[in-house]
């Protein structure tokens, strides 16, 4: 099997793996929809008091709410993808088997995570967004090219998310338990991705900081592309730069960890 076909098969396997959890998916759709309703009415009250807060009108703000609920699991803002399994394999020593396989560790898990993300986009993303569009006045575009540009930003957001979580998982090589680092990444993801509030509403230097961090690639960047409040090319360059830098850092740590395993095994 060629290299490309191998990782494509891994991605398909990741999709099928999550597709088996139908009850969990239905529960997740329900939860995302309920939280979407809660946030929608909070945003309505907030934007009634502060129209055009963060440069959004109320329809754009409500669109942001439902886009956030649609993307929450796709970009794994709160974790819950491959990293727990990888941390456990590092802790138990099973990672040595993975490192000796004729497949790249980082690409293997990236392919699997892309399959996971695609399932969550279809399985948990479409319904909450459709629900929001049916019951609220949203500012969703009619142009299919805008939706295509949005999907490109989502793919890049998944790549950034994976790169962050891969680094979190690799920390277990030195800490033997990545729970603490994972918790810090969890908090940063919630606060800095735009999950709770659009990052545009953060004031001054704090707003500039959170918009410059990689987590803004997860929800804020794709949402702004879809809502037309950011230039897609500039957004792609920002996301791609973070993805490339973080993936390179992950590859460096992977190389160091591999040498450590080889030395200990020898």
């Amino acid at each position: 099997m060629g290299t490309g076909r191998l990782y494509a098969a891994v991605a398909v396997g990741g999709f099928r793996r999550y597709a088996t959890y139908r009850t969990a998916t239905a529960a997740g759709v329900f939860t995302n929809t309920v939280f979407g309703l809660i946030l929608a009415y909070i945003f309505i009250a907030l934007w009634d008091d502060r129209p055009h807060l963060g440069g959004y009108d109320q329809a754009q703000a409500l669109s942001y709410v439902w886009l956030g609920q649609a993307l929450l699991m796709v970009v794994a803002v709160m974790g819950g993808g491959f990293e727990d399994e990888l941390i456990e394999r590092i802790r138990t020593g099973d990672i040595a088997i993975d490192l000796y396989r004729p497949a790249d560790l980082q690409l293997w898990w990236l392919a699997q995570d892309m399959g996971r993300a695609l399932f969550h986009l279809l399985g948990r993303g479409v319904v909450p967004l459709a629900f929001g569009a049916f019951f609220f006045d949203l500012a969703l575009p009619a142009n299919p090219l805008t939706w295509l540009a949005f999907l490109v930003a989502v793919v890049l957001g998944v790549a950034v998310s994976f790169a962050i979580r891969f680094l979190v998982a690799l920390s277990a090589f030195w800490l033997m338990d990545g729970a603490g680092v994972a918790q810090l990444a969890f908090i940063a993801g919630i606060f800095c991705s735009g999950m709770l509030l659009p990052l545009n509403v953060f004031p001054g230097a704090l707003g500039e900081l959170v918009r410059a961090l990689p987590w803004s690639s997860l929800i804020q960047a794709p949402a702004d592309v879809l809502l037309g409040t950011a230039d897609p090319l500039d957004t792609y360059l920002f996301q791609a730069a973070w993805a490339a830098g973080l993936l390179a850092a992950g590859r460096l740590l992977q190389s160091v960890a591999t040498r450590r395993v080889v030395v200990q095994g020898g």
Side-chain angles (χ1 to χ4, degrees), residues 192 199-202 204 206-213 216 220 238:
C192 300
L199 301 182
N200 297 340
V201 310
F202 285 44
L206 177 60
E208 294 178 5
L209 174 63
V210 294
R211 287 191 294 272
L213 293 175
S216 66
Q220 184 70 54
F238 173 81

Side-chain angles (χ1 to χ4, degrees), residues 179-225:
V181 179
Q183 189 65 29
L184 290 175
F186 170 85
I187 295 170
I190 291 177
F191 186 77
C192 300
S193 68
M195 172 184 163
L196 298 179
L197 277 174
L199 301 182
N200 297 340
V201 310
F202 285 44
L206 177 60
E208 294 178 5
L209 174 63
V210 294
R211 287 191 294 272
L213 293 175
W215 289 277
S216 66
S217 298
L218 308 189
I219 291 179
Q220 184 70 54
D224 278 342
V225 168

Side-chain angles (χ1 to χ4, degrees), residues 56 60 63-64 67 71 139-157 200 216-239:
Y56 295 149
Q60 289 175 316
S63 302
Y64 187 94
L67 285 171
L71 294 178
L140 298 178
N143 188 342
L145 292 179
T146 304
W147 285 97
L148 180 61
F150 164 72
L151 291 176
V152 173
V154 171
V155 171
L156 289 171
N200 297 340
S216 66
S217 298
L218 308 189
I219 291 179
Q220 184 70 54
D224 278 342
V225 168
L226 189 66
L227 296 175
T229 56
D231 179 75
L233 181 57
D234 289 343
T235 301
Y236 299 159
L237 290 174
F238 173 81
Q239 292 176 296

